[in-house]
Amino acid sequence: MDPGTGRIVLRKHGSEATFSELSYVYPLKLLSPRLSPQNANAVYVLTYGGGLVGGDRVELSVVVDAGAALVMLTQGSTKVFKNRPGHRLSARSQGTLSDAVTTQSLEVSVAREGALFLLPDPVTCFRSAAYNQVQIFRIDTSASLVLLDWVTSGRKSLGEEWAFSRYYSMNEVWICDRPLAKDVRKAKDARKEKDVRLVKDVMLLEEQEPVHSLPLRTLADSLAPYSCYATLIMCGPLVQSTLRSLSTEYAQVTVFKHASPPDLLWSFSVIGDGTACVVRVAGTETETVKDWLGERLAPFEGAMGPDLYHRAFG
């Protein structure tokens, strides 16, 4: 396996699901805590050294078998450094420490009646860091997905609010009306015309080049006063009651002019045939966004198990 690559395969055997493969190479690290058989299986996605540096490249593939449920978490925010003194670029990275981009890619396959809850802590980019993330999900029509993707402004205590050079995140969800390939790499090659792309969501944050005769507008100028932005994508049978609850709550939101920006803003959009949605949240503090999400996603405690739910939002 190449540096920074990893693979997770969760298979269902009778009434229990077990990992038939859990492999990784530095700087990636995967840990699976032992939980009650009644809980969903869990994997913590970590990196050695507490974060990623310029030039690091992480590629992770995930296969969730029919009827299995997987929760993917992190232990704290994913920190992205421009460089680290004495750190050597991974073997596959190009360029120098001063200009290398940190990249993460995730490819996921979820079979019939399976479920994936991707609930990491937010990405935190340090000053001048550059980060690219691409996540592609292929799920069966009867499978469920809860995908949380969020980013913070950086180290506010050090005055690094939106001080990174680039943040790019792309999430693409495909609905597959056929048996999914056991190998996510083969699934990509086996895509048929009847597969439907449910959503392609892209966020790009980067400093703009100065334009003649126009005042320079920094990222901080554009994104203030909020220091955390989150995107939540949900689809499948397990999310329907939560989707309806959010839809009802959003319909009751009253739009009016504020004397000052509220601490939290959110929007709700139904996608596809109405059984999926995209929720966007912005908050002045990361904990404000986390608390809001934790309250709205509380119904998933039953599917995830109380221990995993509280690890994600406690």
Side-chain angles (χ1 to χ4, degrees):
M1 297 177 66
D2 293 326
T5 58
R7 180 167 165 79
I8 302 169
V9 180
L10 181 63
R11 303 289 190 207
K12 192 76 176 287
H13 300 282
S15 60
E16 295 186 12
T18 58
F19 292 103
S20 63
E21 187 173 348
L22 194 65
S23 57
Y24 55 89
V25 181
Y26 178 94
L28 178 65
K29 186 176 183 179
L30 304 173
L31 296 178
S32 178
R34 293 184 178 181
L35 301 168
S36 165
Q38 286 74 36
N39 287 346
N41 290 75
V43 170
Y44 282 90
V45 181
L46 314 172
T47 54
Y48 288 91
L52 297 166
V53 301
D56 278 346
R57 183 177 178 184
V58 173
E59 296 180 0
L60 178 60
S61 67
V62 179
V63 175
V64 180
D65 203 3
L70 176 62
V71 180
M72 295 178 64
L73 304 169
T74 57
Q75 289 183 326
S77 63
T78 298
K79 299 174 179 62
V80 183
F81 309 96
K82 179 182 179 182
N83 57 50
R84 185 184 300 137
H87 184 81
R88 182 174 61 86
L89 287 172
S90 68
R92 295 184 300 152
S93 56
Q94 304 292 327
T96 65
L97 281 172
S98 62
D99 61 11
V101 176
T102 301
T103 65
Q104 285 205 100
S105 65
L106 173 66
E107 291 209 24
V108 177
S109 170
V110 185
R112 65 186 186 280
E113 298 180 355
L116 174 68
F117 299 88
L118 180 59
L119 301 171
D121 287 284
V123 173
T124 298
C125 296
F126 287 22
R127 184 182 301 277
S128 301
Y131 178 76
N132 281 4
Q133 173 180 279
V134 175
Q135 301 185 136
I136 299 175
F137 305 83
R138 296 183 174 88
I139 69 173
D140 184 81
T141 53
S142 63
S144 299
L145 172 67
V146 178
L147 158 63
L148 175 60
D149 183 16
W150 48 337
V151 60
T152 74
S153 61
R155 298 180 294 181
K156 294 177 64 175
S157 61
L158 299 180
E160 292 186 7
E161 291 193 76
W162 308 113
F164 51 82
S165 63
R166 174 184 170 89
Y167 172 87
Y168 173 89
S169 178
M170 189 274 280
N171 293 292
E172 192 173 65
V173 181
W174 290 83
I175 303 299
C176 306
D177 189 17
R178 59 184 168 81
L180 287 169
K182 293 296 186 180
D183 190 316
V184 70
R185 290 166 294 189
K186 293 180 181 178
K188 181 166 58 175
D189 298 331
R191 184 190 301 171
K192 296 182 179 179
E193 291 183 1
K194 60 183 177 181
D195 291 353
V196 177
R197 185 166 64 187
L198 178 67
V199 59
K200 180 176 182 179
D201 183 84
V202 177
M203 174 180 279
L204 173 61
L205 304 174
E206 65 180 348
E207 292 289 1
Q208 301 297 314
E209 294 293 332
V211 179
H212 180 66
S213 76
L214 293 177
L216 180 64
R217 186 171 176 82
T218 66
L219 271 180
D221 294 332
S222 302
L223 300 173
Y226 300 108
S227 62
C228 181
Y229 286 83
T231 299
L232 177 68
I233 299 173
M234 302 190 297
C235 62
L238 292 180
V239 312
Q240 294 311 300
S241 62
T242 303
L243 188 153
R244 289 191 293 270
S245 177
L246 284 167
S247 179
T248 299
E249 181 180 359
Y250 190 66
Q252 297 171 351
V253 172
T254 302
V255 179
F256 57 92
K257 187 174 182 179
H258 293 267
S260 60
D263 290 338
L264 185 138
L265 293 173
W266 69 288
S267 67
F268 172 86
S269 303
V270 173
I271 56 177
D273 60 0
T275 60
C277 69
V278 176
V279 180
R280 303 187 192 278
V281 189
T284 54
E285 300 293 337
T286 301
E287 287 301 314
T288 303
V289 176
K290 186 175 184 179
D291 291 343
W292 188 92
L293 290 168
E295 292 177 7
R296 273 69 185 177
L297 302 185
F300 296 139
E301 182 176 342
M304 296 171 56
D307 186 39
L308 288 177
Y309 172 79
H310 290 290
R311 291 188 192 188
F313 296 109

